[in-house]
Amino acid sequence: MREKIMDIARVIGQRTSDLQRFEAIRTEPSWIGYDFANGYAGICPLLGELDRLEPDAGWDLKGHALLQALQGEMAQRPLTSLSLWLGVAGVAMAVRSLSRGGTRYVQFTEQLHGLLLRSLDEQLADRTQRLGGGVKAVDFELIQGMSGVGRYLLLTAERPEMKAALLRVLEYLVRLTAPKLVDGVEVPGWYISFDQLATPQERRLSPQGHLNLGLSHGIPGVLGLLSLALEAGIEVPGQSGAVTRIADWLISWRQTDATGSYWPTHVKWADLQAGRVLQPYYREGWCYGAPGVARMIWLAGRALGRSDWQEEAVASYRETFRRPEELWDAHKPNFCHGRAGLLQLTAAMAADSGAADLAVQRDRLLDGVLAEYDPDTSFGYGDDPGLLNGAAGTALVLLDRIGEQGTAWETAFLIR
């Protein structure tokens, strides 16, 4: 199994580090080279893992070429976001993954840290002004918001200036969880009103606003960061209470129907009034659905010693695997909303809980993802090379199954 995985990862590493293969992708309007989700930056963790496993195979040189291309993109389109998946924190995570334990790219890292620290307080102040009124998902979410920025700061919190910045992020996120009034009704502080919804589709589906339950774009990311920080001994006033507030709220919105229990992607205004989700929709993935939510509840339970929350999380995974797979909405082998993400989450839960039945499901998912490898596609797992939606993310999940201590790439997904 190890050699099979290594052979697949080598092919994907070679192809995703071949800059010529990006020519067609670079013409797409949405493509950004320093994007950790889909750009050059997202390939770096894969090359970092391969370099760790095969330090004399030249993977570091391929990674260096990618960083040079990434810097070229930054020169043409300056970084404005601090976010983990589209901004400064994501680039810093990419550089860290190739740094061989911080021994390389020291100056580049310092430049990125300086940029993050210089801009953080201004961006936090802007978000703080919107508390209670015009909160946006991008203010606090994992992908573009402060949960993602905070996760990188937590990873680097051995440095005093980064820890101090993290404390300011945690203070903001704790304040976010305070209840507020909307049309005379008390709702969680992370309720997003109609005028602050990000896309036309969201506005069409939620004409009076909603609460987002996705790990990628909603309140579970806040829960995960607050919990991991507590475990690391980093705490601000009210943090434990905020963890309890979010976890209890999420558990209260776990739904049950003929297919079993699930977490919805959103809770809309009408759902709040009814006390239940009126239009069920399932997604059993990392970005949305029970696996991502339940993992964050597990982390919260571990941080606060709440075995009941942990039991709730494990039970949710068992419900996922009882639900017919055609209802999972996880048809591709990618990370974000595909089977690689579900595999990585299940592996983490099996390891942490010791649940033998989840280990069986982990192995079954692994066999399925391996079977979907197709060397005749551009990158081995389709035509997308990226970390979030493409081959690089899938290859990293496979490499993690080898069972050797890896780099910190998984932290970008808030799984650990």
Side-chain angles (χ1 to χ4, degrees), residues 362-414:
R362 173 203 63 205
D363 294 344
R364 186 174 67 83
L365 286 166
L366 172 58
D367 289 342
V369 172
L370 285 171
E372 292 186 76
Y373 173 67
D374 183 357
D376 293 331
T377 61
S378 297
F379 296 100
Y381 280 102
D383 300 324
D384 186 335
L387 176 60
L388 194 62
N389 294 301
T394 304
L396 278 166
V397 171
L398 294 179
L399 286 175
D400 215 44
R401 304 284 71 75
I402 289 175
E404 300 170 10
Q405 184 63 41
T407 60
W409 69 268
E410 196 183 26
T411 62
F413 293 91
L414 263 183

Side-chain angles (χ1 to χ4, degrees), residues 1-18 21 43 46-59 62 370 373 375 378-381 391-392 394-396 398-399 402 404:
M1 180 70 78
R2 185 186 192 281
E3 279 310 306
K4 181 177 182 178
I5 288 174
M6 285 300 302
D7 287 344
I8 291 173
R10 290 185 190 107
V11 170
I12 295 174
Q14 292 284 355
R15 294 183 183 183
T16 56
S17 61
D18 182 353
R21 288 179 176 265
I43 311 302
L46 172 58
L47 299 182
E49 277 295 284
L50 288 167
D51 180 51
R52 180 183 66 83
L53 293 166
E54 300 179 328
D56 299 319
W59 296 110
K62 294 180 182 296
L370 285 171
Y373 173 67
S378 297
F379 296 100
Y381 280 102
T394 304
L396 278 166
L398 294 179
L399 286 175
I402 289 175
E404 300 170 10

Side-chain angles (χ1 to χ4, degrees), residues 210-412:
H210 64 217
L211 295 127
N212 192 307
L213 280 75
L215 174 52
S216 56
H217 296 296
I219 197 62
V222 176
L223 178 62
L225 176 64
L226 294 176
S227 302
L228 288 167
L230 281 174
E231 281 198 291
I234 300 175
E235 184 174 3
V236 299
Q239 189 169 331
S240 295
V243 167
T244 299
R245 190 176 299 122
I246 299 170
D248 282 344
W249 184 85
L250 286 170
I251 289 170
S252 76
W253 280 96
R254 185 180 176 192
Q255 305 289 292
T256 302
D257 64 11
T259 70
S261 71
Y262 67 96
W263 264 285
T265 59
H266 302 83
V267 171
K268 304 172 188 176
W269 184 261
D271 301 329
L272 284 174
Q273 305 311 302
R276 62 184 178 86
V277 173
L278 299 175
Q279 295 179 310
Y281 171 71
Y282 316 106
R283 171 168 285 172
E284 304 294 344
W286 171 81
C287 57
Y288 281 96
V293 176
R295 178 61 183 173
M296 297 304 101
I297 290 173
W298 172 274
L299 295 178
R302 194 172 67 188
L304 292 184
R306 290 288 300 268
S307 59
D308 55 329
W309 291 351
Q310 293 179 294
E311 290 166 6
E312 186 94 18
V314 172
S316 173
Y317 273 78
R318 289 175 173 145
E319 290 283 284
T320 287
F321 293 113
R322 292 189 189 107
R323 176 169 292 111
E325 290 189 22
E326 57 267 24
L327 297 179
W328 284 4
D329 192 21
H331 308 296
K332 296 182 179 181
N334 66 17
F335 201 109
C336 183
H337 51 272
R339 292 178 184 251
L342 180 55
L343 166 57
Q344 192 68 12
L345 285 161
T346 304
M349 290 296 291
D352 289 353
S353 69
D357 56 331
L358 295 190
V360 171
Q361 297 295 342
R362 173 203 63 205
D363 294 344
R364 186 174 67 83
L365 286 166
L366 172 58
D367 289 342
V369 172
L370 285 171
E372 292 186 76
Y373 173 67
D374 183 357
D376 293 331
T377 61
S378 297
F379 296 100
Y381 280 102
D383 300 324
D384 186 335
L387 176 60
L388 194 62
N389 294 301
T394 304
L396 278 166
V397 171
L398 294 179
L399 286 175
D400 215 44
R401 304 284 71 75
I402 289 175
E404 300 170 10
Q405 184 63 41
T407 60
W409 69 268
E410 196 183 26
T411 62

Side-chain angles (χ1 to χ4, degrees), residues 82 113-125 127-128 131 139 146-147 149-151 153-154 157 159-176 225-226 229 234-237 239:
L82 298 184
H113 286 182
L115 179 57
L116 192 159
L117 294 172
R118 285 193 300 273
S119 302
L120 180 64
D121 285 345
E122 180 181 352
Q123 295 203 17
L124 280 174
R127 286 160 169 76
T128 300
L131 289 176
D139 289 344
M146 284 298 157
S147 295
V149 175
R151 187 63 190 92
L153 291 170
L154 179 57
R159 302 180 58 157
E161 71 277 15
M162 304 299 272
K163 181 178 179 180
L166 172 61
L167 291 172
R168 298 196 293 276
V169 170
L170 296 175
E171 288 170 352
Y172 160 73
L173 294 174
V174 167
R175 291 184 62 183
L176 171 76
L225 176 64
L226 294 176
I234 300 175
E235 184 174 3
V236 299
Q239 189 169 331

